[in-house]
Amino acid sequence: MQNSEKKNNYKIQRISELLSMENGEQYFYLIAESFKSPNKDVESFLKTKSVHATRLNTATTYLVYNEISSIKIDLVGYFSLAMKMLTIKKTSLSASKEKIINRFGYYDADSDSYKIPAILIAQFGRNYDEKSSSIPGLDLMDICLKQIKNILSFLSGKTVFLECEKNQKLIQFYKEKDFILLDNEVFSKNSKELIQMYRLL
């Protein structure tokens, strides 16, 4: 695998780079087969939807891995990013955050909220396979946020958000990385109740 960025012992590569290589798609599916997660949506996306999303350019998926040899890697985790409009109610914002948000979004008087183009962490998960050395979740999030900062340096904006289930352990994990819980509620296609969290970079 080439064109990768190193963070400590971890490397990162976009699926699109891998697919452009000779036999890259076959190699990707071989790698993805080793990924296991208790969250079946996270596992299923990588194995069955990430390549299609890459080709449609609806989401960019990044593989995080340890390089064992020139032809073998340990896939420790992955994340997928997409651009999406985030809605934040004005009443949810402090005066200082509203001032920042106002620079990158616009105020919608009808809904008394701000509409902000933002980066969505669409998928995020570490490998639970017993053969993988895996990666601490906080380290994976550090890599993810660093990549988002890099993307925004070429564009504009400061906002990143995610959607997750109403699970206190998950919420606390994201709060440790300075994500703020919104009072919005959204619903996924399979009718799971989700909450949104955001942060400014």
Side-chain angles (χ1 to χ4, degrees):
M1 299 180 78
Q2 300 173 344
N3 302 321
S4 56
E5 177 189 339
K6 193 170 184 180
K7 180 189 183 298
N8 298 327
N9 293 324
Y10 304 118
K11 295 185 177 182
I12 176 174
Q13 186 167 43
R14 295 193 304 270
I15 284 181
S16 58
E17 294 172 329
L18 191 55
L19 295 179
S20 68
M21 298 165 59
E22 184 177 358
N23 298 320
E25 184 171 353
Q26 182 180 358
Y27 184 46
F28 164 74
Y29 283 118
L30 182 64
I31 294 168
E33 187 59 33
S34 71
F35 186 87
K36 307 296 180 186
S37 174
N39 185 323
K40 295 309 173 186
D41 290 338
V42 171
E43 184 175 333
S44 175
F45 179 86
L46 180 67
K47 293 180 176 180
T48 66
K49 300 176 183 177
S50 58
V51 169
H52 188 57
T54 296
R55 289 185 168 140
L56 290 179
N57 203 28
T58 55
T60 300
T61 296
Y62 297 82
L63 305 177
V64 181
Y65 63 96
N66 281 317
E67 193 169 62
I68 298 173
S69 70
S70 59
I71 59 172
K72 186 176 181 181
I73 70 166
D74 174 16
L75 177 63
V76 297
Y78 88 95
F79 56 90
S80 297
L81 307 176
M83 290 298 298
K84 191 174 179 181
M85 194 68 74
L86 173 64
T87 299
I88 303 181
K89 295 178 181 178
K90 185 176 180 179
T91 53
S92 299
L93 295 169
S94 64
S96 60
K97 285 188 170 59
E98 183 179 359
K99 187 176 181 181
I100 296 172
I101 288 292
N102 191 44
R103 297 205 310 265
F104 301 106
Y106 67 92
Y107 177 68
D108 177 46
D110 290 339
S111 61
D112 192 29
S113 61
Y114 283 92
K115 309 286 186 179
I116 312 107
I119 291 184
L120 168 69
I121 302 175
Q123 298 290 341
F124 177 89
R126 63 187 187 92
N127 193 353
Y128 283 80
D129 187 89
E130 60 182 15
K131 296 179 182 178
S132 174
S133 61
S134 196
I135 182 175
L138 292 176
D139 286 355
L140 184 61
M141 180 56 73
D142 284 340
I143 294 173
C144 179
L145 293 176
K146 181 179 178 182
Q147 186 63 39
I148 292 171
K149 287 180 181 179
N150 184 55
I151 292 168
L152 291 177
S153 72
F154 290 98
L155 301 170
S156 62
K158 292 177 68 69
T159 312
V160 56
F161 75 108
L162 54 87
E163 296 168 349
C164 69
E165 294 181 34
K166 280 188 171 181
N167 178 300
Q168 197 54 45
K169 186 176 179 181
L170 272 179
I171 293 170
Q172 185 57 41
F173 169 80
Y174 292 123
K175 281 184 174 180
E176 287 185 38
K177 285 300 178 182
D178 299 323
F179 281 86
I180 299 168
L181 183 64
L182 292 174
D183 56 6
N184 307 11
E185 287 188 359
V186 295
F187 296 88
S188 67
K189 291 181 180 179
N190 57 6
S191 300
K192 286 183 180 178
E193 191 176 39
L194 304 175
I195 52 91
Q196 291 181 323
M197 300 182 74
Y198 85 102
R199 65 165 284 181
L200 302 175
L201 297 174

